[in-house]
Amino acid sequence: MNIAISTSTQTQRRSILVTGGAGFLGSHLCDRLIAQGHDVLCVDNYFTGHKKNIEHLIGHPRFEVLRHDVTFPLYVEVDQIYNLASPASPIHYQHDPVQTTKTIVHGAINMLGLAKRLRCRIFQASTSEVYGDAIVHPQVEGYWGNVNPTGPRSCYDEGKRCAETLFFDYHRRHGLDIKVARIFNTYGPRMHPDDGRVVSNFIVQALKGEPITIYGDGSQTRSFCYVDDLIDGFIRLMDTPDGVTGPVNLGNPVEFTMRQLAELTIEMCGSRSALTFLPLPQDDPRQRRPDITLAQQMLGWQPTIALREGLRHTIAYFDRLLSGQEVNA
């Protein structure tokens, strides 16, 4: 089915809270919301977010930033909430797994409590990791997943699954207007150079002329969505009518092996880096590709930026970053 997104909904000025707003995705979302004419309250504790991601917005009359940890309640007045607060890369979320679970679960409880008090719409940034090491391929929203509840990735995977549970329980119990997006691998400017994600890893290693580190034999697959496409999906989902809850997969359905990505990165960076292979981490998914039929039908959304084009922008960003130039991409 096709659901029309109201033009008036898109243009009406709102006060919008973005938790994790100084992070990779959150800062791009703040940019887009400001560009649409909204008032944005960016909340972040800067564990993985960075002030440099939002410094170009400081002083803007419709932008406000608040240092706050979402594991504690927040008392503000807003019209909508985007809950993005969470470490998202294995290096960061495994650094303090207990705190990761607290951030995801307590953060969800606190933001849902705020939305309940305000009777406002709330968006949850969930993840493809709820599918675990999927045995259904590509992954559809109705698939319940294959997740290890006791492994080193469980703090993030199970935390996000619990957050989805909370969102739907608040929806059923309190009639809360929720929107849940399952985000697949996303890349672009403002990724942290040391976050351990494959795109940033490969680019930084290639630009430095270091060996490209591939875990496993390089045959495992991922699908890579450029950040601008993903943010468009966020806003389209948030602008759907009441009752459209998701979860909705948001990601690029074009699948690449890790070896293909490494070779393309070396080519585009003009690098002479060699490939080096290390053991595959525990519970690392062997394949990952979203079925985006639901997003196409409900949101009229699909990615438009091909991997080569997105990598060009991302490589340019990291090239400036590594050379010490100012970056506000």
Side-chain angles (χ1 to χ4, degrees), residues 285-323:
R286 291 162 295 176
Q287 52 187 6
R288 185 58 52 78
R289 175 163 66 93
D291 183 311
I292 62 168
T293 303
L294 198 57
Q296 291 171 322
Q297 293 175 345
M298 291 176 54
L299 313 179
W301 177 88
Q302 63 182 20
T304 61
I305 300 171
L307 181 61
R308 185 176 286 270
E309 179 185 355
L311 282 178
R312 180 169 56 83
H313 296 300
T314 311
I315 290 168
Y317 168 83
F318 277 109
D319 193 32
R320 294 195 302 273
L321 183 69
L322 294 176
S323 64

Side-chain angles (χ1 to χ4, degrees), residues 144-177:
W144 290 357
N146 178 38
V147 178
N148 177 359
T150 62
R153 301 170 67 100
S154 305
C155 58
Y156 184 71
D157 301 359
E158 295 287 34
K160 288 289 190 177
R161 286 164 68 95
C162 184
E164 285 197 16
T165 300
L166 287 162
F167 266 70
F168 280 91
D169 283 339
Y170 267 76
H171 172 67
R172 287 184 288 260
R173 177 80 173 175
H174 303 294
L176 205 60
D177 186 5

Side-chain angles (χ1 to χ4, degrees), residues 174-202:
H174 303 294
L176 205 60
D177 186 5
I178 66 168
K179 310 291 179 182
V180 178
R182 290 178 177 164
I183 303 167
F184 283 68
N185 290 67
T186 305
Y187 69 101
R190 299 182 196 158
M191 295 183 79
H192 194 288
D194 301 317
D195 67 2
R197 299 189 208 194
V198 64
V199 172
S200 51
N201 266 8
F202 285 2

Side-chain angles (χ1 to χ4, degrees), residues 214-234:
I214 296 179
Y215 295 94
D217 62 5
S219 64
Q220 68 271 34
T221 67
R222 296 293 184 271
S223 304
F224 301 101
C225 185
Y226 189 65
V227 62
D228 288 356
D229 280 331
L230 186 77
I231 299 303
D232 181 52
F234 282 9

Side-chain angles (χ1 to χ4, degrees), residues 34-319:
I34 289 290
Q36 288 186 335
H38 299 297
D39 298 305
V40 174
L41 172 58
C42 166
V43 167
D44 209 295
N45 69 349
Y46 303 114
F47 173 62
T48 57
H50 292 274
K51 292 180 181 178
K52 67 182 180 182
N53 289 339
I54 54 169
E55 63 185 5
H56 61 287
L57 293 173
I58 301 298
H60 192 288
R62 287 185 283 103
F63 182 77
E64 183 179 358
V65 61
L66 173 66
R67 184 169 192 149
H68 180 80
D69 187 327
V70 295
T71 60
F72 298 95
L74 180 64
Y75 302 99
V76 294
E77 304 296 322
V78 293
D79 302 315
Q80 288 185 346
I81 301 168
Y82 284 86
N83 185 38
L84 276 62
S86 168
S89 70
I91 284 178
H92 289 148
Y93 65 65
Q94 291 176 13
H95 172 71
D96 188 343
V98 173
Q99 187 61 32
T100 293
T101 304
K102 286 182 177 179
T103 298
I104 297 170
V105 177
H106 290 185
I109 291 170
N110 287 330
M111 291 306 108
L112 285 164
L114 177 61
K116 178 187 171 187
R117 179 177 71 81
L118 298 175
R119 302 307 304 171
C120 74
R121 180 170 291 183
I122 181 169
F123 174 102
Q124 168 66 6
S126 190
T127 172
S128 62
E129 297 300 327
V130 300
Y131 300 122
D133 189 4
I135 56 177
V136 170
H137 192 73
Q139 290 78 59
V140 295
E141 289 86 350
Y143 175 49
W144 290 357
N146 178 38
V147 178
N148 177 359
T150 62
R153 301 170 67 100
S154 305
C155 58
Y156 184 71
D157 301 359
E158 295 287 34
K160 288 289 190 177
R161 286 164 68 95
C162 184
E164 285 197 16
T165 300
L166 287 162
F167 266 70
F168 280 91
D169 283 339
Y170 267 76
H171 172 67
R172 287 184 288 260
R173 177 80 173 175
H174 303 294
L176 205 60
D177 186 5
I178 66 168
K179 310 291 179 182
V180 178
R182 290 178 177 164
I183 303 167
F184 283 68
N185 290 67
T186 305
Y187 69 101
R190 299 182 196 158
M191 295 183 79
H192 194 288
D194 301 317
D195 67 2
R197 299 189 208 194
V198 64
V199 172
S200 51
N201 266 8
F202 285 2
I203 292 175
V204 169
Q205 289 171 337
L207 289 174
K208 290 182 175 180
E210 299 173 349
I212 301 291
T213 305
I214 296 179
Y215 295 94
D217 62 5
S219 64
Q220 68 271 34
T221 67
R222 296 293 184 271
S223 304
F224 301 101
C225 185
Y226 189 65
V227 62
D228 288 356
D229 280 331
L230 186 77
I231 299 303
D232 181 52
F234 282 9
I235 292 173
R236 285 173 178 260
L237 176 57
M238 195 62 145
D239 286 342
T240 53
D242 294 355
V244 178
T245 61
V248 178
N249 288 339
L250 293 178
N252 195 316
V254 181
E255 194 173 9
F256 294 88
T257 68
M258 295 300 93
R259 184 165 193 136
Q260 287 174 320
L261 177 66
E263 291 171 347
L264 179 59
T265 303
I266 290 170
E267 172 203 326
M268 294 189 65
C269 289
S271 175
R272 295 184 178 181
S273 293
L275 302 182
T276 184
F277 297 86
L278 297 176
L280 196 65
Q282 181 181 341
D283 300 329
D284 193 59
R286 291 162 295 176
Q287 52 187 6
R288 185 58 52 78
R289 175 163 66 93
D291 183 311
I292 62 168
T293 303
L294 198 57
Q296 291 171 322
Q297 293 175 345
M298 291 176 54
L299 313 179
W301 177 88
Q302 63 182 20
T304 61
I305 300 171
L307 181 61
R308 185 176 286 270
E309 179 185 355
L311 282 178
R312 180 169 56 83
H313 296 300
T314 311
I315 290 168
Y317 168 83
F318 277 109
D319 193 32

